[in-house]
Amino acid sequence: MIKRLKMFFGRMILKFLPLQAFVKINRLCYILMGHVLGQDVVLYSSVEMLGIIKVMIGNNSFIGHKTLFMGGKSLIKIGKNCDISSNVSLICGSHEIGNINRRAGKGISSDIIIGDGVWIGYGSIIMGGITIGNSSIIAAGSLVNKDVPANTIYGGIPAKEIRKIGEI
């Protein structure tokens, strides 16, 4: 009950804040809602964290405007030095295939793990059960439904490897 109240009041406060004018207040609201944020994490006040997920974000990461974290009892872990653009959706929840009367069967939720130094482009969708390796790039508008190895660029619907990348 207390966690739900914290979530409710945290969301209410965030709705009245300018998008990025009060970065420290935004950060404090998400921490009070039970999420774990490293140092120098920047989140727009329009970021939404819905459901009973736990979000952990590493130091020096950025989360853009209207990014959505959503799902059941699961973890979304984002490494340090990550840039997640605006309108990105990280969706942990789904359903098993149900019977003929209702195809959306039992609800399920799976973790999402994003490594250090990852860049996720505008409007991408990251599905539950996915791991994105360190220093990878997800092209704008991609649907990631399979693991992404470290140091690769993935893009498309569904996302596929575009090329490997090394030290720059």
Side-chain angles (χ1 to χ4, degrees):
M1 180 67 172
I2 291 174
K3 180 171 170 96
R4 284 187 180 176
L5 284 173
K6 285 182 183 179
M7 297 289 279
F8 173 77
F9 286 114
R11 283 192 204 116
M12 292 303 294
I13 291 168
L14 288 166
K15 289 203 183 295
F16 291 104
L17 292 176
L19 290 179
Q20 199 179 7
F22 301 105
V23 173
K24 290 183 180 182
I25 295 173
N26 293 352
R27 189 174 180 282
L28 179 62
C29 285
Y30 290 112
I31 289 170
L32 289 173
M33 291 164 66
H35 304 295
V36 179
L37 307 179
Q39 292 182 317
D40 298 319
V41 169
V42 175
L43 299 104
Y44 276 81
S45 61
S46 60
V47 169
E48 290 194 78
M49 298 181 185
L50 305 175
I52 53 175
I53 56 169
K54 175 151 184 134
V55 176
M56 299 174 71
I57 303 173
N59 296 339
N60 197 38
S61 289
F62 172 84
I63 312 296
H65 177 56
K66 291 191 176 179
T67 292
L68 173 64
F69 297 79
M70 187 173 178
K73 190 173 183 179
S74 51
L75 169 70
I76 297 176
K77 183 177 181 186
I78 298 170
K80 63 184 179 190
N81 302 316
C82 291
D83 283 285
I84 298 180
S85 188
S86 298
N87 286 315
V88 171
S89 297
L90 296 101
I91 310 296
C92 293
S94 188
H95 294 270
E96 294 176 351
I97 296 174
N99 65 34
I100 196 166
N101 296 317
R102 185 178 178 131
R103 289 299 182 197
K106 178 183 172 194
I108 55 174
S109 193
S110 303
D111 297 345
I112 295 173
I113 308 296
I114 298 172
D116 296 336
V118 171
W119 173 20
I120 299 177
Y122 182 93
S124 294
I125 300 171
I126 313 299
M127 301 303 295
I130 301 304
T131 297
I132 299 176
N134 293 340
S135 302
S136 289
I137 298 171
I138 306 300
S142 297
L143 170 64
V144 181
N145 62 355
K146 292 190 168 106
D147 288 348
V148 174
N151 299 304
T152 55
I153 299 174
Y154 264 59
I157 301 174
K160 294 183 176 146
E161 184 176 317
I162 295 171
R163 70 180 175 101
K164 295 188 184 314
I165 49 177
E167 291 282 329
I168 296 177

